[in-house]
Amino acid sequence: MKATGIVRRIDDLGRVVVPKEIRRTLRIREGDPLEIFTDREGEIILKKYSPIGELGLFAKQYAESLAQTMGHMVCITDRDSVIATAGGAKKDYYGKPISSQLEQLIQERESLQAVFGERRFVSVIQEVMEGVTSETICPVISEGDAIGAVILLGKDGKGKMGEVEQKVAASAAGFLGRQMEQ
């Protein structure tokens, strides 16, 4: 655990303010859920809660099925990181933080299809995505909240993805959103 040197007092309602610098660094926004853990030494640990993260194994299996069927690389994200990958360089994406452009796309509940080099092309992760030539992105909506995205990535150089990829990604996102509501 890393010490920050910041000390805060608990108010009369039992609240503690998480400093703005820490919220910014960890990308914690107003209204974001935090999971609370305790340990034997009396430490209280706050962890960003990812509703779609509960579907980790299920999301991985779903991504693998989509990748086999579509022949594209598949990424499933929550609002902060890639939680499942299949059909390509998994180690290059899995567990990595998503880009701020993708985070904004999810927040605005926008779907996107783009070819690499277009101005509207969005990088999935903060690092350069090598070999990706096209993408289809659909937000996962659960109980009215945008909680992640289903992303198909083309690496074959055949150009733009079509209506089939858009419908498959939208169906997958809708299915995952409904799973979260149960």
Side-chain angles (χ1 to χ4, degrees), residues 18 20 23 32 39 43 47 55 132-133 140-141 158:
V18 177
K20 187 176 188 174
R23 292 192 318 261
D32 280 357
D39 69 6
E43 293 176 326
K47 181 180 176 191
L55 294 178
V132 174
T133 58
V140 176
I141 310 293
K158 290 182 183 173

Side-chain angles (χ1 to χ4, degrees), residues 102-120:
L102 179 57
E103 184 180 0
Q104 184 176 355
L105 199 70
I106 292 169
Q107 191 171 338
E108 293 172 358
R109 303 161 191 243
E110 285 187 43
S111 292
L112 172 77
Q113 277 194 316
V115 175
F116 182 75
E118 291 181 353
R119 201 183 94 227
R120 59 194 182 111

Side-chain angles (χ1 to χ4, degrees), residues 25-166:
T25 301
L26 298 177
R27 299 165 78 175
I28 297 171
R29 295 169 293 278
E30 183 180 330
D32 280 357
L34 299 175
E35 201 166 5
I36 302 170
F37 298 90
T38 59
D39 69 6
R40 290 193 172 113
E41 288 87 44
E43 293 176 326
I44 298 172
I45 300 153
L46 300 175
K47 181 180 176 191
K48 286 179 71 173
Y49 176 71
S50 168
I52 201 167
E54 290 180 3
L55 294 178
L57 178 61
F58 181 75
K60 180 179 182 254
Q61 292 170 340
Y62 201 84
E64 288 171 357
S65 177
L66 279 176
Q68 280 183 332
T69 303
M70 298 302 297
H72 294 297
M73 185 173 162
V74 177
C75 293
I76 299 175
T77 73
D78 61 14
R79 289 181 55 177
D80 297 306
S81 62
V82 178
I83 64 161
T85 62
K90 296 177 187 179
K91 68 180 183 318
D92 293 339
Y93 294 88
Y94 182 75
K96 299 226 173 139
I98 64 172
S99 69
S100 56
Q101 299 98 331
L102 179 57
E103 184 180 0
Q104 184 176 355
L105 199 70
I106 292 169
Q107 191 171 338
E108 293 172 358
R109 303 161 191 243
E110 285 187 43
S111 292
L112 172 77
Q113 277 194 316
V115 175
F116 182 75
E118 291 181 353
R119 201 183 94 227
R120 59 194 182 111
F121 188 86
V122 170
S123 182
V124 174
I125 57 176
Q126 295 173 352
E127 302 163 21
V128 175
M129 302 185 322
E130 294 191 21
V132 174
T133 58
S134 58
E135 65 185 0
T136 297
I137 301 172
C138 283
V140 176
I141 310 293
S142 178
E143 296 178 350
D145 294 326
I147 61 170
V150 172
I151 303 158
L152 302 178
L153 299 172
K155 290 190 157 203
D156 58 11
K158 290 182 183 173
K160 202 172 190 176
M161 292 188 182
E163 187 178 346
V164 171
E165 286 85 359
Q166 181 67 37

